[in-house]
């Protein structure tokens, strides 16, 4: 009936409202590092007596699909369950822990070593994956997210992503690109990549010789990335605010380029219209404030790791590589992952 974001952060509130959500401002008491989701939900209910069922969706599970939530809502509203939570099936053998100094052996928990079977032949076990918890109001007011007439909802393994620690983040990024939800509109293939030269293809540094000739450096990996994009049928075009036509000629990239571009967005719009592409088919890699509007317009946008703060804020993807140090190749790999997602959706 309504979608709310619970936060005590101004920027999160702003973004939530831009996407059509309503915002509940958390009090300082339930905004501590040690605060639980249950505490925040109970506070919310104190301000919203009209709500009788809460679906608590965890932001750390970014592969959740609307179809799952619709089915879970039906379990409570139509089948009479008091609480429903998400699980995933895992095929992992468990052993008892032996703490240091204890004089005992480990014991199998869910297998018989004498009759060990292949994991793929075993139905596995159900584990909570923390993606969502649905519960009726009376349970939450008693301090429970699970209770009463309970049911679990088994999510597909590829949709079960839980970010707990730093190393989970890159795994989640890959999963979202391959299995995430991209809205009702069909995914479009990227057909054009526009890359800012200074600070993306190069590291932004200009070396001047004694005879006043300019030199720049670039990474061979980025040239490989450009060639791979071309092989996939993706056009690559370059753009720069300064006149670097001689440098481009020397690099022999074979790409259409626009130099001395005072209005990058206008150039991007002209190219988009000339080729006849929708914005979702355009990718943009930039790094400066002058790239922000292009980053916002493009269907896929990225910046190198050392891009300016406003560009990072506008981009959908922040590379781990710096400009001139493999960022173009990395962003190309990011595009290839999206293409795999498009092809997978078509097969389905």
């Amino acid at each position: 009936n309504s979608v709310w974001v619970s936060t005590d952060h101004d920027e999160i509130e702003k973004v939530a409202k831009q996407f059509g959500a309503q915002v509940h401002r958390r009090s300082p008491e339930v905004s501590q590092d040690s605060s639980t989701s249950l505490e925040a939900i109970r506070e919310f209910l104190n301000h919203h007596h009209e709500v009788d069922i809460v679906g608590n969706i965890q932001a750390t599970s970014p592969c959740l699909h609307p179809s799952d939530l619709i089915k879970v809502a039906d379990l409570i509203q139509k089948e009479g369950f008091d609480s429903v939570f998400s699980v995933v099936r895992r095929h992992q053998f468990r052993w008892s822990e032996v703490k240091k100094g204890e004089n005992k052996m480990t014991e199998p928990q869910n297998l018989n070593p004498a009759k060990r079977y292949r994991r793929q032949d075993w139905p596995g076990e159900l584990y909570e994956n923390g993606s969502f918890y649905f519960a009726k109001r009376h349970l939450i007011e008693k301090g429970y997210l699970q209770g009463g007439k309970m049911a679990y909802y088994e999510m597909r393994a590829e949709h079960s992503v839980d970010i707990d620690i730093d190393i989970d983040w890159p795994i989640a990024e890959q999963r979202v690109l391959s299995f995430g939800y991209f809205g009702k509109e069909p995914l479009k293939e990227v057909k054009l990549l526009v890359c800012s030269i200074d600070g993306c293809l190069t590291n932004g540094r200009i070396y001047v010789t004694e005879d006043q000739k300019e030199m720049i450096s670039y990474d061979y990996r980025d040239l490989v990335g450009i060639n791979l994009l071309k092989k996939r049928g993706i056009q690559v075009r370059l753009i720069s605010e300064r006149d670097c036509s001689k440098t481009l000629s020397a690099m022999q990239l074979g790409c259409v380029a626009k130099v001395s571009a005072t209005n990058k967005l206008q150039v991007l719009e002209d190219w988009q219209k000339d080729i006849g592409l929708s914005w979702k088919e355009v990718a943009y890699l930039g790094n400066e404030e002058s790239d922000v509007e292009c980053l916002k317009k493009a269907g896929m946008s990225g910046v190198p790791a050392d891009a300016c703060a406003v560009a990072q804020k506008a981009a959908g993807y922040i590379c781990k590589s710096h400009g001139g140090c493999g960022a173009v190749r990395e962003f190309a790999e990011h595009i290839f992952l999206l293409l795999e997602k498009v092809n997978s959706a078509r097969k389905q």
Side-chain angles (χ1 to χ4, degrees):
N1 300 100
S2 58
V3 177
W4 294 79
V5 170
S6 172
T7 184
D8 66 335
H9 194 280
D10 292 340
E11 185 67 18
I12 293 174
E13 176 177 4
K14 179 182 175 183
V15 173
K17 288 180 176 177
Q18 286 175 350
F19 280 85
Q22 299 179 69
V23 174
H24 168 74
R25 289 294 298 209
R26 289 194 192 194
S27 68
E29 289 75 24
V30 298
S31 300
Q32 307 302 312
D33 288 344
S34 58
S35 298
T36 66
S37 298
L38 182 58
E39 290 172 339
I41 295 169
R42 292 179 75 177
E43 180 190 70
F44 172 86
L45 288 177
N46 288 336
H47 292 85
H48 295 275
H49 299 287
E50 76 281 6
V51 174
D52 55 4
I53 299 172
V54 173
N56 176 31
I57 303 167
Q58 305 279 58
T60 48
S61 299
C63 268
L64 183 60
H65 283 228
S67 57
D68 291 327
L69 298 178
I70 292 168
K71 292 173 185 175
V72 172
D74 285 345
L75 285 173
I76 288 188
Q77 292 176 310
K78 297 178 181 179
E79 298 189 32
F81 287 97
D82 295 311
S83 59
V84 185
F85 55 93
S86 57
V87 299
V88 65
R89 190 173 297 275
R90 291 180 180 166
H91 298 78
Q92 297 171 322
F93 296 137
R94 290 183 289 107
W95 291 79
S96 62
E97 182 180 359
V98 178
K99 295 182 179 179
K100 191 174 182 180
E102 290 183 340
N103 186 24
K104 62 179 184 180
M105 295 187 298
T106 184
E107 297 287 342
Q109 299 293 298
N110 61 352
L111 77 154
N112 180 356
K115 296 181 179 179
R116 186 182 178 93
Y117 35 72
R118 299 190 310 163
R119 284 189 292 180
Q120 58 265 46
D121 295 331
W122 173 49
E125 297 178 328
L126 297 177
Y127 288 79
E128 278 189 40
N129 65 355
S131 189
F132 59 78
Y133 298 86
F134 275 63
K136 290 184 177 177
R137 182 188 190 99
H138 69 88
L139 277 176
I140 296 171
E141 288 177 336
K142 292 177 182 177
Y144 302 108
L145 278 175
Q146 296 157 301
K149 185 181 177 183
M150 289 185 288
Y152 62 78
Y153 180 86
E154 185 176 347
M155 289 179 62
R156 291 164 58 181
E158 59 267 32
H159 293 167
S160 183
V161 178
D162 189 22
I163 303 174
D164 276 332
I165 54 178
D166 290 350
I167 60 173
D168 293 332
W169 190 272
I171 297 171
E173 285 183 336
Q174 302 297 315
R175 286 280 193 93
V176 167
L177 281 170
S178 297
F179 306 113
Y181 179 70
F182 287 80
K184 293 180 180 179
E185 186 176 338
L187 285 169
K188 297 277 189 179
E189 284 191 33
V190 171
K191 295 183 178 177
L192 169 67
L193 167 63
V194 178
C195 175
S196 180
I197 297 170
D198 305 304
C200 291
L201 183 59
T202 74
N203 61 11
R205 294 180 179 177
I206 300 173
Y207 305 90
V208 182
T209 63
E210 288 183 355
D211 55 356
Q212 296 185 333
K213 290 183 178 179
E214 289 186 2
M215 294 189 301
I216 61 169
S217 65
Y218 59 89
D219 195 310
Y220 178 73
R221 291 172 297 178
D222 290 332
L223 303 193
V224 172
I226 289 173
N227 288 329
L228 287 173
L229 287 162
K230 289 180 178 179
K231 286 180 181 178
R232 297 269 189 120
I234 299 171
Q235 289 192 51
V236 179
R237 297 192 175 190
L238 307 173
I239 193 167
S240 175
E241 290 177 278
R242 65 188 190 90
D243 185 0
C244 53
S245 50
K246 290 183 180 179
T247 302
L248 284 173
S249 177
M251 292 172 75
Q252 297 182 334
L253 297 174
C255 298
V256 172
K258 175 66 176 178
V259 299
S260 303
T262 55
N263 187 335
K264 290 182 178 178
L265 180 60
Q266 186 61 58
V267 173
L268 190 62
E269 288 177 338
D270 290 343
W271 281 344
Q272 176 241 338
K273 290 174 183 175
D274 288 344
I275 304 173
L277 301 178
S278 69
W279 282 115
K280 281 189 173 290
E281 296 170 301
V282 177
Y284 191 90
L285 185 66
N287 75 305
E288 275 298 338
E289 194 167 340
S290 57
D291 296 308
V292 168
E293 293 307 314
C294 297
L295 291 166
K296 289 180 178 178
K297 277 276 190 179
M300 180 177 278
S301 59
V303 294
D306 55 347
C308 72
V310 289
Q312 289 193 14
K313 224 175 204 180
Y317 181 79
I318 300 176
C319 298
K320 296 173 182 64
S321 306
H322 285 207
C325 300
V328 178
R329 173 63 188 268
E330 183 181 338
F331 193 54
E333 296 287 350
H334 185 68
I335 292 172
F336 297 151
L337 278 171
L338 176 68
L339 294 181
E340 288 177 15
K341 172 72 178 176
V342 172
N343 293 332
S344 175
R346 284 176 177 168
K347 289 176 183 178
Q348 290 175 3

